[in-house]
Every structure is written in structure tokens, then in C-alpha cells.
Amino acid sequence: MSALVIRGQRVLLDGELRPAALHIDNGRITRISPYEGSTGTQTVDAGTKLVAPGVVDSHVHINEPGRTEWEGFRTATEAAAAGGITTLVDMPLNCIPATTSRAAAEAKRIELASQLHVDVAFWGGVIPGNVGELEGLARFGVPGCKCFLCPSGVDEFPHVGKDDLEEALPVLKELGLTLLVHAEAPGPLEVAEAAVEGADPRRYDTYLRSRPARAEDEAIAMVIALAKKYRARAHIVHLASGGAVELIARAQADGVAISAETCLHYLGFHDGDIPDGATHYKCAPPIRDAANREQLWKGLERGVLTQVVSDHSPCTPALKKPDTGDFVGAWGGIASLQLGLSALWTMARARGHGVAQVWRWNSEGPAQLAGLQRRKGKLAPGFDADVVIWDEEKSFVVKGEALHHRHKVTPWAGRTLQGVVEQTWVGGKLAYSAEAGLAPAQGKFLSVQQ
Ligand SMILES: [Zn+2]
């Protein structure tokens, strides 16, 4: 008899909802049997609530060590567990030291020991001059490395140029690592910034005009050319330019190994939603207009974009400059980790998508990108027993005090979202339940070997 059976009338298996029972031993799903008559030493019956894979968020900034006052492993993973997210991949910047060497990765791993409520992997970083560190990062277990093509906002993570990528890409390819790119070209940004000089910094329009879509489009064209030249794998993080979807689609049709994600806030908001001074909407690239948002949705629906992530990037409330509403001076980054599943479901359902599509975007796609596709993102024998039991009919109003993020500032506050997490299981252990709240931290670090 299995140690644990989680069963229900609506279990998401291979893109379909059907009655089934998940048998779980030693943290893994060992087999899947019919619902009727399946029990374990412990049996959890979800009834008609949805039983689905735990969500994978492959784009999260946790900022620890070094900027733990912005966010930390304990608070971020508590928020994840409460939001039905069972795996996070932490970005290499905003923590100090930045994750650009094996030694830095090891230091971060020590920092997070015993704090994890869900499983966590790391991205490494590519900065000028660290090509010699990439092999060590691969051995440590990062699935890929991220770079910036424009200033990142923190001094410890300088941006790279084309020459740096010409050096790094063949090495990444050899190591089996994906290059993740913050794709905004510095040239068009400088021109645009000069053009808004003297404009009112409280106006959202001032900030939006300072980061035009052509900066993304130009950078993405360069990344495509380099990925093609070196036959390397590249991934565009947080795509905000709807116009770039076509560029990426053409490259994919041409056989270039390029993928892209977009974020909750680009799908949920447009510039008309953002009042002047409302700096909690500030992120880079910026939230653009409604027609652009429609292009991003179309990109997802066509399968050009394969995933939706939070890009949870919080800071202390003061750095958002709420007193002055200064869009130019405020930190760029939106906090939304805990809300990802419900926010995406609310938006996707309104567009006629079902839960299977939502889980392709928020679990299968991110698991694939992070090299975790053989253990995360699906309910199947051999996969980790990461499960969310979810009531997709129930709605709630987002209130800051219900968020486990270290800071409660988020542009989603006050909005009504659909879908409430009943239980989150990580590796066959209950991590969160609506009834009892958070369980003690039992998540683990994931080393990803390509
Ligand atoms: Zn980010």
C-alpha cells in the first residue's frame, strides 16, 4: 500500500481532467490508478476540486543574501506554497554576491538551507569577463545563465555586449546551458531617455516613452542572429514588445533554438490602467498599450511564447518612491509571486482557455526551460509528488495583508481573482493548506544537470 494517495474526480493528467488516484512514495508519484477503491496509508480525497501539478515559476528574484530586506528565501517560498507554486528558479542578480561563479552559487545555497517551503533551483549569470566561471556553474547545477544587454539596475551585475556573447555562447552550448536574455538594446534606450529629459517624472507616459519597444526588437534580433550563428539555445525573458512575437516566430520556423516567456503584468495590464505616480506598476521593459498586450496573448495562443512567469522582483516599499510617485527614480520590479496561478487563470478563462492550457503555460513550459521536464510540471509516474488542490470557482479580492511576500506592495491589490488554493503538496509533503496555513519548511534545493 502506498504511503500517500491523493485522489479526486478531476485530476489533470495529460491535458485532460478525469477521476484518478495518485500513489505517492518517497516524494514521487509511483503510479496512477482509477479513483474508485484507491487508498493509501494516508488518503486525501479532493472530491470535485481540481487536482493539478504544482506550478513552476522560472523567473523569480529572491535577493538573498545581500538584499534580504527586499525579499528572502523564507518569505518567497512561503508565498509560493500559499499560491500553489511548488518550484521556483531564482535569478542570479539582486543577491550579493551575484550568482556569476560557482563560489557565489555555493554561498547562496548555504544561505537558503532549511528556509525552503518549496523546491528552488538557481539560474547562473553571464557578465563581462566571467566565461571561465560558466563550467563551474554548470557543474554546480544551474540549467542556464542570464545576461542583460542594458544596465541591470545593480552594480554587481554589469551588462554584456555582442562581443561578450560571442565568447559566452559557444561555451554555454558546449555545457548544455541555455542563455537567458534581458533583451533591451542600450542604443535606443539612450536616445529615448534623452528625448524625455525634463518631462514630468510622475507621468507614466514619461517612463513608457523612455523604454520603447524598438529597444526590445533590436536586442532580440541580435540574440536571434547569435543563437543561429552558434546553434546555441537562447531564451528571451519577460517579453513586453508584442511586435517582437513575429520576429521570434520567424526565427523558430527557421530552426533557431529561441524561446520566450511573458509575464502576468504584461498580460493583465496596459498603460491606460496606470495612474500617474503609481510606481508599483514600474517594471522593465515597461507595460505597454492595449494593442501590444493583445499581440502578447496572440503569441501565447499561437505557441510562439511558451510560458507565463511572475518576474517577481520586489524591493523595500521606500525604493518605490511612493511619496513622490517618481517613475524615473523608483526601483523597477513588480511583486506578484503568490498570485500567479489565480491571476493567470482569471485572465485566461476570460479569453476562453481551460485549465490544461493554463498549466502548459505556467508549469510545463517553465519546467522545460529549467531542465526539470522529467520531474516537474506534470502529474505522471516518476515525477515529483508536487500537487495543488485548487478551487477554480472561488474568487477573492487581493489584499496586501494576505500576501506572504516580505513586502505587500503589488499592482494586483484590490483586484478580484478567480481560484483559491486548498492544499499545496511538495515532494509528497503538505506545504500549505487553506485550513492550517503553512507547514514547516521542507522544500529542497534542485541541482539541474544537463
Ligand atoms: Zn526579472
Side-chain angles (χ1 to χ4, degrees):
M1 179 177 275
S2 301
L4 171 65
V5 166
I6 299 177
R7 62 180 200 166
Q9 298 293 343
R10 300 170 63 245
V11 183
L12 183 59
L13 296 171
D14 296 326
E16 281 176 20
L17 293 177
R18 57 174 191 260
L22 310 172
H23 293 255
I24 294 162
D25 279 295
N26 300 318
R28 296 262 167 113
I29 299 170
T30 50
R31 68 189 174 95
I32 296 169
S33 70
Y35 172 86
E36 294 300 337
S38 292
T39 53
T41 307
Q42 182 189 3
T43 304
V44 175
D45 196 325
T48 56
K49 306 259 168 71
L50 183 72
V51 178
V55 172
V56 178
D57 192 338
S58 57
H59 192 149
V60 180
H61 297 264
I62 297 183
N63 312 321
E64 181 173 9
R67 289 190 179 85
T68 309
E69 70 276 16
W70 291 19
E71 186 63 285
F73 285 106
R74 182 182 61 77
T75 45
T77 59
E78 284 178 356
I85 298 154
T86 53
T87 304
L88 301 179
V89 194
D90 183 36
M91 280 295 169
L93 69 158
N94 301 345
C95 53
I96 305 173
T99 317
T100 52
S101 68
R102 182 169 190 158
E106 300 281 7
K108 188 156 81 172
R109 184 177 178 165
I110 289 166
E111 195 77 20
L112 59 71
S114 79
Q115 296 196 61
L116 301 183
H117 290 261
V118 303
D119 290 352
V120 172
F122 297 165
W123 296 112
V126 176
I127 57 171
N130 85 325
V131 170
E133 301 287 350
L134 301 178
E135 186 175 354
L137 284 164
R139 301 268 172 270
F140 172 82
V142 306
C145 288
K146 182 191 191 184
C147 69
F148 273 69
L149 298 180
C150 63
S152 74
V154 294
D155 295 339
E156 315 81 47
F157 204 91
H159 66 285
V160 295
K162 185 163 178 276
D163 292 351
D164 300 300
L165 291 182
E166 300 259 11
E167 234 189 299
L169 269 171
V171 177
L172 292 169
K173 178 185 165 60
E174 187 67 31
L175 295 167
L177 300 179
T178 302
L179 176 72
L180 276 66
V181 186
H182 177 124
E184 286 181 288
L189 290 182
E190 278 159 30
V191 172
E193 277 160 21
V196 299
E197 198 141 327
D200 182 356
R202 275 184 51 81
R203 293 203 55 204
Y204 182 65
D205 180 60
T206 301
Y207 177 62
L208 181 55
R209 285 190 292 131
S210 76
R211 297 193 91 113
R214 65 178 175 279
E216 284 188 76
D217 302 347
E218 182 180 313
I220 290 167
M222 182 184 87
V223 173
I224 288 170
L226 288 171
K228 185 173 181 176
K229 178 174 175 184
Y230 292 102
R231 297 175 181 275
R233 268 202 327 262
H235 176 80
I236 306 299
V237 296
H238 54 48
L239 184 76
S241 161
V245 169
E246 207 41 57
L247 263 180
I248 296 167
R250 279 205 301 271
Q252 289 170 342
D254 201 21
V256 180
I258 183 124
S259 56
E261 68 192 29
T262 191
C263 306
L264 300 166
H265 38 268
Y266 301 129
L267 298 171
F269 307 130
H270 62 84
D271 59 349
D273 292 326
I274 306 177
D276 291 341
T279 54
H280 46 290
Y281 287 92
K282 180 178 176 181
C283 57
I287 295 164
R288 306 192 188 281
D289 64 26
N292 180 85
R293 175 175 69 169
E294 196 56 29
Q295 287 176 302
L296 293 174
W297 272 108
K298 288 277 170 357
L300 273 172
E301 288 158 355
R302 285 169 62 193
V304 178
L305 313 183
T306 44
Q307 51 191 286
V308 180
V309 296
S310 67
D311 190 8
H312 177 70
S313 185
C315 61
T316 57
L319 286 175
K320 278 292 193 186
K321 302 202 179 296
D323 44 341
T324 58
D326 174 0
F327 267 105
V328 178
W331 171 257
I334 284 179
S336 63
L337 176 61
Q338 186 176 327
L339 302 168
L341 172 55
S342 302
L344 181 59
W345 170 240
T346 306
M347 298 185 281
R349 181 156 106 155
R351 296 180 68 94
H353 298 293
V355 288
Q357 182 58 273
V358 164
W359 260 267
R360 268 178 225 121
W361 289 332
N362 71 6
S363 298
E364 283 179 49
Q368 178 83 36
L369 177 71
L372 295 166
Q373 67 277 11
R374 283 182 292 277
R375 61 185 291 196
K376 304 286 189 190
K378 274 188 195 179
L379 300 176
F383 276 60
D384 291 356
D386 297 345
V387 181
V388 57
I389 299 176
W390 199 55
D391 186 342
E392 81 260 38
E393 296 302 329
K394 225 185 212 172
S395 63
F396 66 103
V397 177
V398 178
K399 294 200 172 89
E401 60 268 26
L403 299 176
H404 294 271
H405 309 155
R406 173 145 298 156
H407 302 293
K408 315 305 178 192
V409 177
T410 174
W412 295 94
R415 288 169 198 266
T416 300
L417 298 183
Q418 200 78 27
V420 171
V421 175
E422 298 275 325
Q423 293 181 3
T424 306
W425 294 77
V426 180
K429 292 174 182 155
L430 187 63
Y432 169 85
S433 75
E435 237 174 54
L438 289 154
Q442 300 172 92
K444 55 195 175 299
F445 173 74
L446 303 168
S447 171
V448 184
Q449 297 298 333
Q450 297 295 324

